[in-house]
Amino acid sequence: MYLNPRIISQSLGAVFLLICSILPLRSQTSPTIDKIRKTKTLVVSVNEFYDPFYIENPLPDYPGLDVEVAQEYADFLGVELKVIPLRTFDQHARMLEKGDTQIVLAGLSSTLTRFRDAYFTDPYLTSTPSALVRRSSLPPEPEGQIVAVQLFRTIMDLQSISGISYSVLSNSSNHNFLKETFPKAQIFSYYTSEAAFNELKKNNVNCFVADSYYILALLQKTPSLNATYLAITGSVQEDHISMAVAKKDIEFIYHLNFFIKEMKRTGKIQKLVNKYFKSNKWVKNTNEP
């Protein structure tokens, strides 16, 4: 069989160019990880007002879900962890841009709007718009019948109920969901989720909307809420709770994505969910009378 030397030469040249193009990619490092290892400190910003993702003055062994995830990553890198509580996404984004923090771990939902200011990892948790609705605002169950199917499984089931008014955190993904899904409903938005929830307790609205983890946390802090309100947490859309990083280090995102994948594969994320959202051992005061 005759092999054309010119073809062989061209083929070898193409292989050489391919190898040369791959080698730099394989040798790339993350400037962010290099900085973390050089300073021996991982700096993470958290949400100051979102327990149990972050808990101020926590009980022993219950610093908050996001703090525990951050500590796992710091331990993996062999560095110390520094946690900075902040209040708004704008504050988180500015700290990232200036290089004062490396990761935002704040129970954040990734959105296109937030994508303008930061990059997001794969989700480490998935949430959904949920509700805490006053039971007296709902139609009574038929008397003398055993109801085998829950009448209100998701927030979408409230569409058939007239007179429902909603409170929600302003400009949040849940706020946008309400405006799109319930365009004719009375929707009142507030600067904090706590303020929105207080409107429900004061009977100024009859339904408070937040993500499912916020609702579950409220029920852990105050179990007696179940007597007056119905929690509706069935999934209607996927809200991805992700880490946010500065828009300049793709290798760092690859690194974090693999870390998240391993945390989920080994069941560590699920253990933290059980620890904080299926138990109230982290609650300092149960708020019960």
Side-chain angles (χ1 to χ4, degrees):
M1 180 177 64
Y2 173 74
L3 297 177
N4 190 321
R6 182 178 179 181
I7 294 177
I8 293 175
S9 176
Q10 290 175 342
S11 299
L12 290 175
V15 171
F16 177 77
L17 289 175
L18 178 62
I19 293 173
C20 288
S21 65
I22 291 175
L23 285 176
L25 291 175
R26 291 178 61 87
S27 63
Q28 280 182 0
T29 60
S30 162
T32 305
I33 294 178
D34 290 342
K35 178 180 178 179
I36 292 168
R37 286 177 170 153
K38 183 177 180 180
T39 61
K40 297 183 178 0
T41 303
L42 169 67
V43 185
V44 173
S45 64
V46 296
N47 192 329
E48 185 175 8
F49 300 115
Y50 197 5
D51 58 5
F53 286 93
Y54 164 75
I55 302 173
E56 186 178 12
N57 301 320
L59 295 173
D61 300 322
Y62 290 89
L65 185 147
D66 280 343
V67 177
E68 294 208 40
V69 172
Q71 187 63 63
E72 283 275 351
Y73 189 60
D75 292 344
F76 170 69
L77 294 177
V79 299
E80 298 295 319
L81 174 65
K82 180 180 179 180
V83 174
I84 301 177
L86 299 174
R87 299 189 177 191
T88 67
F89 178 74
D90 288 342
Q91 290 176 320
H92 290 295
R94 285 196 296 269
M95 293 283 280
L96 282 177
E97 183 63 28
K98 292 189 296 182
D100 293 336
T101 60
Q102 286 96 40
I103 303 174
V104 178
L105 249 170
L108 282 176
S109 296
S110 54
T111 65
L112 285 175
T113 300
R114 289 172 174 170
F115 183 66
R116 297 170 184 165
D117 299 308
Y119 283 160
F120 289 90
T121 64
D122 293 341
Y124 59 98
L125 292 173
T126 301
S127 183
T128 187
S130 300
L132 202 60
V133 59
R134 187 175 296 277
R135 291 182 183 273
S136 60
S137 303
L138 301 174
E141 296 177 354
E143 293 185 9
Q145 296 184 24
I146 298 176
V147 180
V149 179
Q150 184 177 344
L151 296 179
F152 300 99
R153 189 179 62 84
T154 77
I155 192 173
M156 300 294 289
D157 295 329
L158 296 177
Q159 287 181 315
S160 61
I161 309 301
S162 61
I164 299 289
S165 56
Y166 302 85
S167 63
V168 67
L169 176 65
S170 181
N171 298 319
S172 63
S173 58
N174 295 305
H175 189 193
N176 294 332
F177 173 83
L178 276 179
K179 289 189 293 185
E180 293 173 1
T181 310
F182 301 88
K184 297 182 179 180
Q186 284 188 304
I187 300 170
F188 303 93
S189 62
Y190 299 87
Y191 185 65
T192 66
S193 292
E194 183 179 10
F197 176 52
N198 284 336
E199 292 302 298
L200 175 68
K201 291 193 292 184
K202 291 187 289 187
N203 207 23
N204 291 332
V205 298
N206 41 35
C207 184
F208 165 63
V209 174
D211 72 75
S212 54
Y213 287 110
Y214 193 96
I215 299 294
L216 293 173
L218 285 177
L219 297 178
Q220 292 298 336
K221 288 187 285 186
T222 312
S224 62
L225 289 172
N226 284 297
T228 307
Y229 307 101
L230 175 67
I232 304 175
T233 59
S235 180
V236 291
Q237 71 176 27
E238 285 194 358
D239 287 339
H240 290 169
I241 299 179
S242 305
M243 303 180 194
V245 299
K247 300 178 72 170
K248 57 186 177 183
D249 191 347
I250 299 299
E251 289 293 319
F252 188 40
I253 294 180
Y254 292 156
H255 203 266
L256 285 173
N257 280 344
F258 186 78
F259 168 76
I260 291 168
K261 179 181 176 182
E262 285 298 287
M263 287 284 287
K264 295 169 77 171
R265 182 187 68 80
T266 57
K268 290 184 177 180
I269 289 293
Q270 187 57 51
K271 287 180 181 177
L272 290 175
V273 170
N274 294 343
K275 178 177 180 178
Y276 287 100
F277 295 100
K278 297 184 179 181
S279 167
N280 66 353
K281 292 181 179 179
W282 57 272
V283 181
K284 288 175 284 187
N285 296 299
T286 62
N287 296 329
E288 298 290 354

